[in-house]
Amino acid sequence: MTEQEILSEKEQTSIEDFGITRYAELLNQDVFTGFTDLFITPQYYFLGFYNLSYFLVNKSTHKGVRYEYPLQTDKISYLPLINIRAVSPQGFLVGFEEAYKLKQWKINTETQNDNLRKVQAVVQKISAEDNPCLFFYRLK
Protein backbone atom coordinates (compact mmCIF):
# COMPACT_ATOMS: atom_id res chain seq x y z
CA MET A 1 0.00 0.00 0.00
CA THR A 2 1.20 3.49 -0.78
CA GLU A 3 -0.20 6.95 -0.23
CA GLN A 4 1.20 8.06 -3.58
CA GLU A 5 -0.89 8.12 -6.74
CA ILE A 6 -0.62 4.98 -8.87
CA LEU A 7 -1.06 5.08 -12.64
CA SER A 8 -4.02 3.18 -13.98
CA GLU A 9 -3.37 0.18 -16.20
CA LYS A 10 -4.52 2.25 -19.20
CA GLU A 11 -2.06 5.03 -18.32
CA GLN A 12 0.76 2.51 -17.87
CA THR A 13 0.18 0.82 -21.23
CA SER A 14 -0.01 4.17 -23.03
CA ILE A 15 3.58 5.07 -22.08
CA GLU A 16 5.80 4.36 -25.09
CA ASP A 17 9.15 5.57 -23.69
CA PHE A 18 9.64 4.62 -20.04
CA GLY A 19 13.20 5.84 -19.63
CA ILE A 20 14.79 7.82 -16.82
CA THR A 21 13.28 11.10 -18.09
CA ARG A 22 9.74 9.75 -17.88
CA TYR A 23 10.56 8.24 -14.50
CA ALA A 24 11.73 11.64 -13.23
CA GLU A 25 8.59 13.33 -14.52
CA LEU A 26 6.41 10.86 -12.64
CA LEU A 27 8.50 11.24 -9.49
CA ASN A 28 8.06 15.02 -9.64
CA GLN A 29 4.30 14.43 -9.85
CA ASP A 30 4.55 12.20 -6.71
CA VAL A 31 3.43 9.12 -8.64
CA PHE A 32 4.47 5.70 -7.33
CA THR A 33 6.59 4.26 -10.12
CA GLY A 34 7.41 0.88 -8.63
CA PHE A 35 10.75 -0.77 -8.00
CA THR A 36 13.67 -1.26 -10.38
CA ASP A 37 15.44 -4.02 -8.42
CA LEU A 38 14.33 -7.14 -6.58
CA PHE A 39 16.80 -9.30 -4.68
CA ILE A 40 15.94 -12.15 -2.34
CA THR A 41 18.15 -13.18 0.57
CA PRO A 42 17.37 -15.97 3.05
CA GLN A 43 15.74 -13.43 5.42
CA TYR A 44 14.68 -10.46 3.28
CA TYR A 45 13.16 -9.19 0.09
CA PHE A 46 15.19 -6.22 -1.10
CA LEU A 47 13.18 -3.88 -3.33
CA GLY A 48 15.33 -1.14 -4.85
CA PHE A 49 14.35 2.02 -6.63
CA TYR A 50 16.93 3.47 -9.05
CA ASN A 51 19.63 3.68 -6.38
CA LEU A 52 17.57 6.35 -4.61
CA SER A 53 15.79 4.30 -1.98
CA TYR A 54 15.12 0.70 -1.06
CA PHE A 55 12.58 -1.26 0.91
CA LEU A 56 13.52 -4.26 3.05
CA VAL A 57 10.78 -6.76 3.83
CA ASN A 58 11.47 -9.31 6.55
CA LYS A 59 10.21 -12.67 5.26
CA SER A 60 9.29 -14.03 8.69
CA THR A 61 7.50 -10.96 10.12
CA HIS A 62 6.15 -9.67 6.78
CA LYS A 63 7.07 -6.13 7.86
CA GLY A 64 9.10 -3.71 5.82
CA VAL A 65 11.15 -0.57 6.27
CA ARG A 66 12.04 2.04 3.66
CA TYR A 67 15.58 3.47 3.54
CA GLU A 68 17.22 6.18 1.48
CA TYR A 69 20.32 5.39 -0.55
CA PRO A 70 21.84 8.86 -0.85
CA LEU A 71 24.99 9.05 1.19
CA GLN A 72 26.27 12.25 2.74
CA THR A 73 29.98 11.71 2.30
CA ASP A 74 31.05 14.55 4.60
CA LYS A 75 30.60 12.68 7.92
CA ILE A 76 29.97 8.94 7.56
CA SER A 77 29.27 7.09 10.82
CA TYR A 78 28.05 3.74 9.51
CA LEU A 79 28.57 1.51 6.49
CA PRO A 80 25.58 2.11 4.20
CA LEU A 81 24.23 -0.20 1.51
CA ILE A 82 25.78 1.00 -1.72
CA ASN A 83 24.71 0.29 -5.31
CA ILE A 84 23.22 -3.15 -4.65
CA ARG A 85 23.32 -5.18 -7.88
CA ALA A 86 23.08 -8.86 -6.93
CA VAL A 87 22.70 -11.53 -4.27
CA SER A 88 25.46 -14.10 -3.87
CA PRO A 89 24.67 -17.84 -3.60
CA GLN A 90 25.48 -17.50 0.12
CA GLY A 91 22.77 -14.85 0.58
CA PHE A 92 24.96 -11.74 0.67
CA LEU A 93 23.72 -8.57 -1.01
CA VAL A 94 26.47 -7.44 -3.40
CA GLY A 95 27.12 -3.75 -4.01
CA PHE A 96 29.93 -1.65 -5.39
CA GLU A 97 31.45 1.81 -5.30
CA GLU A 98 33.96 3.52 -7.54
CA ALA A 99 37.40 3.94 -5.94
CA TYR A 100 37.48 7.68 -6.58
CA LYS A 101 34.15 8.08 -4.76
CA LEU A 102 35.37 6.06 -1.79
CA LYS A 103 38.43 8.32 -1.61
CA GLN A 104 36.05 11.27 -1.12
CA TRP A 105 34.40 9.81 1.99
CA LYS A 106 34.98 11.71 5.22
CA ILE A 107 34.57 9.14 7.99
CA ASN A 108 33.47 10.36 11.39
CA THR A 109 36.54 10.03 13.62
CA GLU A 110 34.36 9.06 16.59
CA THR A 111 32.63 6.13 14.89
CA GLN A 112 32.79 2.77 16.65
CA ASN A 113 31.64 0.83 13.58
CA ASP A 114 34.22 -1.92 12.96
CA ASN A 115 33.14 -2.52 9.37
CA LEU A 116 33.49 1.15 8.55
CA ARG A 117 36.97 1.16 10.08
CA LYS A 118 37.93 -1.80 7.85
CA VAL A 119 36.69 0.08 4.79
CA GLN A 120 38.65 3.14 5.89
CA ALA A 121 41.85 1.08 6.12
CA VAL A 122 41.34 -0.32 2.61
CA VAL A 123 40.46 3.07 1.12
CA GLN A 124 43.71 4.54 2.46
CA LYS A 125 45.64 1.93 0.45
CA ILE A 126 43.87 2.27 -2.90
CA SER A 127 44.22 4.83 -5.66
CA ALA A 128 41.36 6.90 -7.04
CA GLU A 129 42.04 5.25 -10.42
CA ASP A 130 41.64 1.68 -9.08
CA ASN A 131 38.78 -0.61 -10.02
CA PRO A 132 35.48 -0.32 -8.17
CA CYS A 133 35.32 -2.00 -4.75
CA LEU A 134 32.78 -4.73 -4.11
CA PHE A 135 30.82 -4.87 -0.87
CA PHE A 136 29.19 -8.04 0.46
CA TYR A 137 26.44 -7.41 3.01
CA ARG A 138 24.78 -9.95 5.29
CA LEU A 139 21.67 -8.37 6.70
CA LYS A 140 20.80 -9.12 10.32
Side-chain angles (χ1 to χ4, degrees):
M1 296 179 63
T2 179
E3 295 177 7
Q4 291 176 285
E5 177 187 346
I6 298 175
L7 296 179
S8 69
E9 190 171 336
K10 182 178 179 183
E11 290 171 312
Q12 290 177 34
T13 57
S14 70
I15 297 173
E16 293 178 12
D17 177 17
F18 203 68
I20 189 68
T21 303
R22 181 67 173 137
Y23 229 87
E25 290 171 2
L26 292 172
L27 281 175
N28 288 335
Q29 297 168 13
D30 202 30
V31 173
F32 178 71
T33 53
F35 299 100
T36 56
D37 303 304
L38 168 64
F39 302 109
I40 301 171
T41 72
Q43 290 180 294
Y44 294 95
Y45 295 107
F46 176 96
L47 302 162
F49 173 71
Y50 264 116
N51 235 13
L52 298 172
S53 64
Y54 58 93
F55 196 73
L56 283 179
V57 179
N58 185 308
K59 291 167 127 179
S60 59
T61 65
H62 303 286
K63 293 185 180 182
V65 179
R66 182 174 184 247
Y67 297 93
E68 298 293 321
Y69 256 126
L71 177 65
Q72 294 181 345
T73 59
D74 58 340
K75 197 170 187 183
I76 299 173
S77 297
Y78 63 92
L79 184 60
L81 294 181
I82 306 168
N83 299 316
I84 301 301
R85 289 294 174 252
V87 175
S88 75
Q90 298 81 17
F92 289 92
L93 287 173
V94 181
F96 75 95
E97 186 59 282
E98 299 289 340
Y100 77 91
K101 289 184 180 179
L102 288 172
K103 298 292 281 181
Q104 296 170 1
W105 284 16
K106 305 284 187 280
I107 295 176
N108 182 348
T109 56
E110 297 174 11
T111 188
Q112 299 299 313
N113 187 302
D114 290 337
N115 289 327
L116 188 55
R117 290 283 175 215
K118 290 175 188 175
V119 169
Q120 184 179 33
V122 169
V123 169
Q124 290 174 349
K125 296 176 184 176
I126 64 174
S127 163
E129 294 80 30
D130 282 342
N131 290 325
C133 294
L134 294 178
F135 291 84
F136 293 83
Y137 302 93
R138 182 174 307 271
L139 302 176
K140 295 180 182 180

